[in-house]
Amino acid sequence: MQTTAIVESPAAAVEPSSAAARRVPVVPEALRSNFTVLVPAFDEVDNVAALFAELRATFARHGLDGEIVLVDDGSRDGTYEAALRESAGMPRVKVLRHRRNRGKTEAMVTGAFAAGTEYLVLFDADLQHSPEEIPRFLEKLGEGWDIVTGRKMGAYEKRAVSSVYNRLSQTLFDVPVRDLNSMKAFRTEILREVPLRHDWHRFFVVLAHAQGYSVSEIDIELFPRRAGVAKYSGRSRVLVGVGDLLVVWFYLKFSEKPMQFFGGTGLILIAVGLLVGLVAVALRVLGWMPPFGYRPLLTLVLLLETVGFMLFGFGFMAELIATLRAEVDSLRRDRE
């Protein structure tokens, strides 16, 4: 469940961050108001005031009139109330709320369906990226890209882990970007259409690229967290991330043709079982008794044949499900 408040407020001037020292981006006129800054937030009450102040300043400085959607993901520290208070009087602001913590992926999806614009800019509430990056992403989107990702520059915590993770992702998925888990801007329709499971926000770019959406990348600065604590840290997150990485790889590689994996593996086991059976028969005919006897060979044949036929049958059923899903997706696209 969620509640919504749409509120309004005057712009206020705030000194630009160091990111503003770069070339001033040229935002296409069509994009100046046709974007939503989507902010998932969980226990970020200490950052909310600065977040809205800097967003107001960036919008005023670059002549932007975009929408802001903040999704409070079940915070327990008053983030939702602080967001309502700090955004009071600002035009085009929506503050949404999950009654319990559901995760960043779910917060992103909630915000995407609440947004009323063609483009989204995903922005973290901890202000480790400067709002001054927003015009740069909009400028890049104006070149015609479907997705623009940010590549974190400089030294930061977890850089080594992030580098290994991103390189592994590039190897498995052949994605033309070097950082999958950073600030992003993209067409709203993508987040509404690409199926995301819990914690799959890290693979949003991978899944979208697999569906044919174009992807580009720009370098962005990463700043230390100003207040609060990181929500995605610890060794367990690394293990979860690698596990999800393999699941997504399997999903992309075999979801369209599951018979290639399950059926193929099943046929191999069936063939090996038949070969072992023929060897056992040949040994019996020749009168040569293996040191361990014939029973283990017969047991192995039964095991290989049973598992092989089970996998083949599972692959056949999965193929039928994949076909039905493709037909449903085709009907949905026709209706749209």
Side-chain angles (χ1 to χ4, degrees), residues 126-239:
D126 57 16
L127 288 171
Q128 288 197 269
H129 299 301
S130 169
E132 288 294 314
E133 303 287 5
I134 293 173
R136 298 183 61 226
F137 278 88
L138 296 176
E139 180 184 46
K140 194 70 176 177
L141 284 174
E143 296 177 7
W145 298 98
D146 297 318
I147 305 172
V148 179
T149 68
R151 181 194 178 200
K152 297 185 291 290
M153 302 299 294
Y156 58 92
E157 188 182 0
K158 301 184 293 184
R159 181 179 178 86
V161 174
S162 180
S163 297
V164 172
Y165 178 81
N166 283 313
R167 287 176 184 173
L168 183 59
S169 298
Q170 284 182 284
T171 302
L172 290 177
F173 304 119
D174 192 29
V175 184
V177 294
R178 291 161 289 181
D179 194 341
L180 295 176
N181 195 21
S182 184
M183 187 175 170
K184 304 174 184 68
F186 45 88
R187 293 183 180 276
T188 305
E189 67 186 56
I190 303 175
L191 193 50
R192 293 174 178 171
E193 292 179 2
V194 173
L196 294 180
R197 292 172 53 188
H198 179 67
D199 268 357
W200 275 21
H201 58 274
R202 292 166 293 185
F203 307 105
F204 166 69
V205 175
V206 169
L207 295 167
H209 182 256
Q211 292 195 14
Y213 290 104
S214 61
V215 184
S216 185
E217 183 179 69
I218 61 175
D219 293 342
I220 60 174
E221 293 183 62
L222 184 71
F223 299 94
R225 168 179 274 275
R226 301 190 190 182
V229 295
K231 309 303 186 302
Y232 299 94
S233 60
R235 295 180 180 179
S236 62
R237 296 295 305 178
V238 177
L239 296 176

Side-chain angles (χ1 to χ4, degrees), residues 1 41-44 71-80 96-103 107:
M1 297 238 6
F42 175 58
D43 285 348
E44 296 287 358
V71 181
D72 172 41
D73 189 30
S75 298
R76 301 177 297 269
D77 64 350
T79 295
Y80 177 70
L96 312 178
R97 186 182 198 181
H98 289 163
R99 295 195 180 278
R100 62 177 179 85
N101 180 242
R102 295 166 58 187

Side-chain angles (χ1 to χ4, degrees), residues 28-42:
E29 196 62 36
L31 280 175
R32 289 187 176 274
S33 60
N34 193 19
F35 72 93
T36 296
V37 178
L38 171 55
V39 185
F42 175 58

